[in-house]
């Protein structure tokens, strides 16, 4: 997945139709989740690419944390011993949070998501799981099964263009745990890692999509998805893992629902109109486009351009780590 | 306040052997702060006292401290099954002599 800043017309995106530019063909969990949340939110955020002008410290922290741990797993798969691999991960995080142009460290306005708390979380995680019961699968190429990109062609074609729909995304890590195959997904949060926190993952669009995709790309049943959560505080980090499973019937239900949503999107594309779901405006901590939808339609575009930046989300563009 | 002038023949006292824990913590904080404000390419990464290893050791010490504090917090009269971490063990776990 990749976000690209733009200033002007939207360029052709790999995940969108070549025939109808606003018609998404390849769906990752972010874009499908956005459509499920609210068609108008999906239109503003995914189709038009409007997002906050300022960088989200939560998003940045999550990416840097994930990438540092990927660096650790790569090092281990190369045969590097534990301690040098930890050093490599920490050095990676330090380097990627240093602004070379300004000659200063990355600064964040969120007290729990800082460069210091990032280094702390990486060191504490690798300390806690030094003897990790989750064994990273090593692929036939010798590379560790981390940051696995998947593209799964659905048996569903666009009724507008005939193009085959695709599910796509990244799986953090494929592991063996108690002789079973699992995938893991890292989450960073300020919340306590209790039963209530983990209950949000059943049902959950992303977990279901990853479990569905994991089974397809593994060519065999998988046990499920392990959520590797870290609670990040100003002075501490706590870790908790939780195994989330789906039955075959649950995955089939998710698949069926996904196809209905994707098919429904065709109607929006055809009408060039994505309706508001005005019952979700206050959900998810409040929609970022609340102030836009709260104004009269004739002035919304002006407000969008004034208040938001354009950052195109294209899930088929490969991330480089 | 003593009016006695300092004895020039007296052995120089290392600030780390005589300093109180607060002074040591201040020195550690200064070193960590300097490391975090140094361009990664300029950090020393080889040797036990390198910037990188000191930074990692510092966070490990902070983790040990956090675990002890969490365990001690949980060892309340309402949780008789939980025991406090003995002070000597706690001191050893958060030993900081190698950080400065």
């Amino acid at each position: 997945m990749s976000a690209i800043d733009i200033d002007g017309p939207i360029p052709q995106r790999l995940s969108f139709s070549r025939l109808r530019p606003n018609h998404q063909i390849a769906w990752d969990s972010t874009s499908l989740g956005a459509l499920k949340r609210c068609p108008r939110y999906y239109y503003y955020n995914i189709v038009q690419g409007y997002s906050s002008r300022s960088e989200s410290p939560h998003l940045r922290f999550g990416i840097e944390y994930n990438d540092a741990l990927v660096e650790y797993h790569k090092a281990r798969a190369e045969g590097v011993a534990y301690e040098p691999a930890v050093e490599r991960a920490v050095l990676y995080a330090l380097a990627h949070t240093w602004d070379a142009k300004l000659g200063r460290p990355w600064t964040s306005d969120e007290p729990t998501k800082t460069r210091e708390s990032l280094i702390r979380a990486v060191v504490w995680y690798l300390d806690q799981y030094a003897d990790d019961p989750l064994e990273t699968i090593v692929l036939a190429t010798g590379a560790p099964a981390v940051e696995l990109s998947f593209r799964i062609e659905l048996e569903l074609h666009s009724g507008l263009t005939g193009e085959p729909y695709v599910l796509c995304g990244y799986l953090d890590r494929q592991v063996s745990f108690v002789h079973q195959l699992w995938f893991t997904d890292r989450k960073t949060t300020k919340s306590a890692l209790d039963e209530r926190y983990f209950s949000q993952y059943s049902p959950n669009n992303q977990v279901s999509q990853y479990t569905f995709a994991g089974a397809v790309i593994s060519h065999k049943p998988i046990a499920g998805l392990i959520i590797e959560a870290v609670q990040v505080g100003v002075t501490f980090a706590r870790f908790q893992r939780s195994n989330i499973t789906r039955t075959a019937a649950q995955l089939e239900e998710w698949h069926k629902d996904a196809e209905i949503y994707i098919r429904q999107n065709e109607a929006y594309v055809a009408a060039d109109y994505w309706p508001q779901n005005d019952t979700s405006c206050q959900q998810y901590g409040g929609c970022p486009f609340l102030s836009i939808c709260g104004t009269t339609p004739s002035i919304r575009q002006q407000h969008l351009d004034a208040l938001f930046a354009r950052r195109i989300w294209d899930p088929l563009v490969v991330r480089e780590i | 306040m003593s009016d006695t002038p300092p004895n020039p023949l007296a052995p120089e006292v290392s600030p780390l052997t005589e300093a109180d824990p607060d002074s040591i913590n201040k020195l550690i904080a200064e070193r960590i702060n300097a490391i975090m404000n140094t361009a990664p390419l300029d950090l020393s990464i080889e040797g036990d006292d390198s910037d990188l290893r000191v930074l990692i050791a510092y966070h490990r010490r902070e983790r040990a401290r956090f675990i002890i504090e969490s365990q001690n917090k949980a060892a309340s009269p309402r949780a008789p099954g939980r025991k406090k971490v003995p002070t000597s063990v706690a001191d050893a776990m958060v030993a900081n002599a190698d950080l400065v």
Side-chain angles (χ1 to χ4, degrees):
Chain A
M1 77 200 90
S2 185
I4 305 157
D5 290 331
I6 60 162
D7 186 14
I10 300 171
Q12 173 65 46
R13 286 165 283 181
L14 296 173
S15 53
F16 279 69
S17 168
R18 290 172 185 273
L19 306 170
R20 298 192 71 145
N22 284 350
H23 183 22
Q24 187 165 0
I25 298 297
W27 293 82
D28 68 339
S29 68
T30 301
S31 48
L32 184 57
L35 181 68
K36 288 180 174 183
R37 170 181 176 173
C38 168
R40 184 65 58 83
Y41 170 83
Y42 163 78
Y43 175 70
Y44 285 150
N45 189 236
I46 303 293
V47 179
Q48 293 295 314
Y50 284 106
S51 59
S52 170
R53 283 195 178 277
S54 56
E55 176 187 73
S56 162
H58 303 287
L59 187 61
R60 173 79 187 267
F61 186 96
I63 290 170
E64 301 296 354
Y65 175 71
N66 178 68
D67 291 357
L69 296 181
V70 167
E71 189 66 16
Y72 168 81
H73 290 298
K74 280 183 180 171
R76 296 292 277 160
E78 288 168 14
V80 176
Y82 169 75
E83 198 60 36
V86 172
E87 291 173 8
R88 197 160 126 179
V90 171
L91 199 55
Y92 183 97
L94 287 170
H96 282 252
T97 51
W98 182 263
D99 189 330
K101 277 184 193 164
L102 298 175
R104 70 178 191 200
W106 164 54
T107 53
S108 160
D109 56 8
E110 164 55 50
T112 62
K113 304 285 175 68
T114 63
R115 191 168 188 249
E116 187 185 5
S117 66
L118 170 71
I119 303 300
R120 179 190 303 122
V122 170
V123 173
W124 288 26
Y125 172 91
L126 294 175
D127 246 29
Q128 178 150 335
Y129 297 112
D131 297 314
D132 197 344
L134 307 184
E135 194 181 329
T136 306
I137 299 290
V138 177
L139 302 172
T141 59
V146 294
E147 285 295 294
L148 293 169
S149 164
F150 67 86
R151 294 179 190 191
I152 299 165
E153 203 168 295
L154 296 172
E155 292 175 1
L156 182 75
H157 290 71
S158 166
L160 298 174
T161 65
E163 293 159 286
Y165 283 113
V166 170
L167 287 180
C168 59
Y170 281 86
L171 294 159
D172 279 354
R173 185 161 68 121
Q174 189 179 24
V175 297
S176 170
F177 175 54
V178 199
H179 309 298
Q180 287 183 307
L181 199 56
W182 297 77
F183 285 87
T184 68
D185 195 54
R186 294 188 189 93
K187 302 288 183 196
T188 61
T189 179
K190 288 197 284 186
S191 307
L193 304 177
D194 52 15
E195 205 174 311
R196 188 164 172 268
Y197 171 80
F198 287 105
S199 71
Q200 69 179 297
Y201 297 113
S202 296
N204 177 279
N205 176 64
Q206 187 188 49
V207 169
S208 296
Q209 180 162 339
Y210 286 4
T211 309
F212 181 88
V216 173
I217 67 170
S218 302
H219 303 294
K220 54 184 164 184
I222 63 165
L225 196 78
I226 299 172
I227 298 290
E228 288 200 277
V230 51
Q231 179 192 7
V232 186
V234 176
T235 59
F236 69 90
R238 282 194 185 97
F239 307 90
Q240 188 72 44
R241 288 170 168 171
S242 182
N243 300 356
I244 313 287
T245 57
R246 297 282 191 267
T247 64
Q250 283 176 309
L251 289 179
E252 184 50 41
E253 181 184 41
W254 173 84
H255 181 201
K256 183 179 176 183
D257 291 355
E259 291 197 347
I260 289 172
Y261 276 103
I262 290 171
R263 192 63 90 193
Q264 180 63 36
N265 186 54
E266 291 177 8
Y268 305 146
V269 174
D272 195 24
Y273 186 83
W274 283 260
Q276 290 179 352
N277 172 8
D278 54 15
T279 61
S280 76
C281 302
Q282 304 296 338
Q283 304 290 322
Y284 314 99
C287 179
F289 300 109
L290 194 62
S291 64
I292 303 299
C293 292
T295 62
T296 192
S298 61
I299 60 169
R300 283 182 195 151
Q301 189 59 50
Q302 201 181 338
H303 282 218
L304 274 168
D305 291 333
L307 298 173
F308 293 86
R310 302 286 291 284
R311 202 167 287 127
I312 291 302
W313 180 257
D314 194 344
L316 286 185
V317 173
V318 177
R319 275 184 69 205
E320 287 182 11
I321 297 180
Chain B
M1 200 178 206
S2 168
D3 291 323
T4 313
N7 178 1
L9 298 177
E12 200 171 313
V13 177
S14 160
L16 295 187
T17 52
E18 292 292 314
D20 61 282
D22 285 347
S23 302
I24 294 176
N25 285 333
K26 193 173 168 229
L27 283 171
I28 293 170
E30 284 170 0
R31 172 104 194 247
I32 297 302
N33 189 47
I35 291 170
M36 293 298 283
N37 284 291
T38 299
L41 285 175
D42 296 333
L43 290 175
S44 60
I45 58 173
E46 300 290 340
D48 287 344
D49 63 346
S50 68
D51 293 330
L52 183 60
R53 290 188 185 168
V54 164
L55 181 64
I56 293 170
Y58 166 75
H59 282 298
R60 284 183 172 145
R61 186 195 72 159
E62 290 305 296
R63 177 168 181 258
R65 191 194 301 278
F66 177 72
I67 290 170
I68 292 161
E69 284 174 2
S70 300
Q71 195 170 324
N72 287 348
K73 214 178 209 178
S76 69
R78 276 184 259 172
R82 294 171 188 260
K83 288 183 180 171
K84 275 197 161 193
V85 178
T87 307
S88 57
V89 175
D91 287 347
M93 287 176 76
V94 298
N96 54 25
D98 56 344
L99 292 179
V100 289

